[in-house]
Amino acid sequence: YKIRFEELEISKIQTYILGFSKIILPLLLALSFNKKKYLFSLIICITLFLRFGIDGVKAIFFITFIEVICCLFYKENYYKFIPFCFSTLVLFSLLEYIIFKSYYIVDFLIRRLMFLTNKINYFYYNYFSQHEPDFYRQSFLRYFGFSSPYKIKISNLIGQEYFNDFSYSANSGLVSEALANWGYIGIFILPIILALLFKIFDICCYKIQTKIYIALMIYISYILFTAFIPTALLTHGLIVLCMFFILIPKSGGIVKY
């Protein structure tokens, strides 16, 4: 966290490159593991550690760990066990509290995914039911000369308003983005846009082995439900990931590289 809160003096392009690397490097590691190119895998691991040292985002290690596990052990019929795995995770969180009197699993997974997101969604609803939507004027429309009515970043505005902390970036996803940028009608529009994005991802992954991309799809789902769509596509590198999937040579459902 000390690294994360240090202010980086980098350009916008460099910010995007950092976002791209967070999702591309684990994919390259998975591809090299699958091809048994262990020297290249070692180089990528070192690069991942160096990448982590820039901004301290732990998601890099989470994505990499899941990606490697999927490459080594995933089989096509394993998706049937996903509900069981999530149920087991809840059980482990209870055992963790009973045995160790700690609640890291609950805090990092259950609380953040199920409770905090809904709480932030309510704060967005409460705020934008009384104020006008931004209509992406803080996002890509600012490059076309549009000016936002809000002087500070919306996520920090919500953090200041409801958490009494300007530095707190209250990020959320679908509902918050709909209300902040579209108003009430966005609750009906954004799910359609999200469904189209998932369909595009599905097309890009056509004939690629499931074990190569399944971990990244989990991460993509998390990002799209916790961040605004333009941020997910650009800052988190989803556009570059789609291009990368398209460029991977494919034949008969098996990735060849």
Side-chain angles (χ1 to χ4, degrees):
Y1 283 104
K2 182 179 179 181
I3 297 175
R4 291 179 63 177
F5 287 122
E6 290 181 357
E7 187 174 349
L8 296 176
E9 297 181 358
I10 58 177
S11 66
K12 197 69 174 178
I13 298 297
Q14 290 172 317
T15 301
Y16 289 144
I17 292 174
L18 285 177
F20 301 159
S21 64
K22 182 171 60 178
I23 200 168
I24 294 299
L25 286 174
L27 176 60
L28 290 175
L29 182 63
L31 293 173
S32 60
F33 253 108
N34 200 44
K35 193 63 176 178
K36 296 182 173 59
K37 295 182 178 180
Y38 299 118
L39 178 60
F40 188 62
S41 300
L42 178 61
I43 294 173
I44 296 176
C45 286
I46 295 172
T47 306
L48 282 165
F49 273 102
L50 294 174
R51 166 63 180 83
F52 174 76
I54 296 175
D55 56 9
V57 176
K58 296 187 295 295
I60 300 171
F61 292 127
F62 174 76
I63 301 169
T64 303
F65 175 76
I66 299 298
E67 191 72 58
V68 171
I69 292 298
C70 288
C71 278
L72 293 176
F73 302 109
Y74 182 81
K75 303 296 181 184
E76 290 299 325
N77 62 337
Y78 279 10
Y79 71 90
K80 300 176 183 179
F81 298 100
I82 292 177
F84 172 76
C85 291
F86 279 105
S87 300
T88 304
L89 188 63
V90 175
L91 177 62
F92 277 132
S93 68
L94 292 173
L95 292 175
E96 178 196 4
Y97 180 75
I98 294 172
I99 299 173
F100 301 105
K101 302 302 179 182
S102 62
Y103 43 86
Y104 291 109
I105 298 176
V106 172
D107 181 54
F108 285 106
L109 296 177
I110 299 175
R111 182 186 70 86
R112 292 194 180 189
L113 290 177
M114 299 181 183
F115 293 96
L116 183 59
T117 300
N118 290 327
K119 183 179 181 179
I120 293 175
N121 283 337
Y122 172 75
F123 290 154
Y124 272 81
Y125 163 76
N126 184 265
Y127 187 84
F128 285 101
S129 62
Q130 305 170 51
H131 300 81
E132 66 171 306
D134 182 66
F135 295 110
Y136 294 107
R137 285 173 287 184
Q138 280 196 0
S139 186
F140 61 92
L141 287 182
R142 73 180 186 270
Y143 298 114
F144 298 94
F146 291 91
S147 180
S148 172
Y150 304 102
K151 303 302 180 183
I152 61 176
K153 190 177 179 182
I154 291 177
S155 58
N156 294 109
L157 178 65
I158 299 299
Q160 182 183 43
E161 189 78 15
Y162 294 97
F163 294 94
N164 198 29
D165 184 359
F166 173 77
S167 64
Y168 188 94
S169 183
N171 291 313
S172 192
L174 184 63
V175 176
S176 299
E177 180 177 6
L179 293 168
N181 290 292
W182 296 83
Y184 292 123
I185 193 174
I187 297 176
F188 302 98
I189 295 176
L190 259 293
I192 297 174
I193 296 175
L194 207 58
L196 291 174
L197 284 175
F198 278 122
K199 183 60 179 178
I200 292 172
F201 292 141
D202 188 48
I203 293 171
C204 293
C205 294
Y206 182 62
K207 287 190 177 181
I208 297 179
Q209 288 176 297
T210 305
K211 67 179 182 179
I212 297 296
Y213 65 80
I214 185 169
L216 293 176
M217 289 301 107
I218 294 172
Y219 177 70
I220 287 172
S221 301
Y222 170 77
I223 289 298
L224 288 174
F225 282 103
T226 56
F228 288 2
I229 290 176
T231 302
L233 293 176
L234 295 174
T235 306
H236 291 285
L238 301 195
I239 290 179
V240 173
L241 182 64
C242 285
M243 295 170 61
F244 200 91
F245 279 141
I246 292 172
L247 293 174
I248 294 177
K250 315 167 190 71
S251 176
I254 303 299
V255 180
K256 299 174 67 176
Y257 42 84

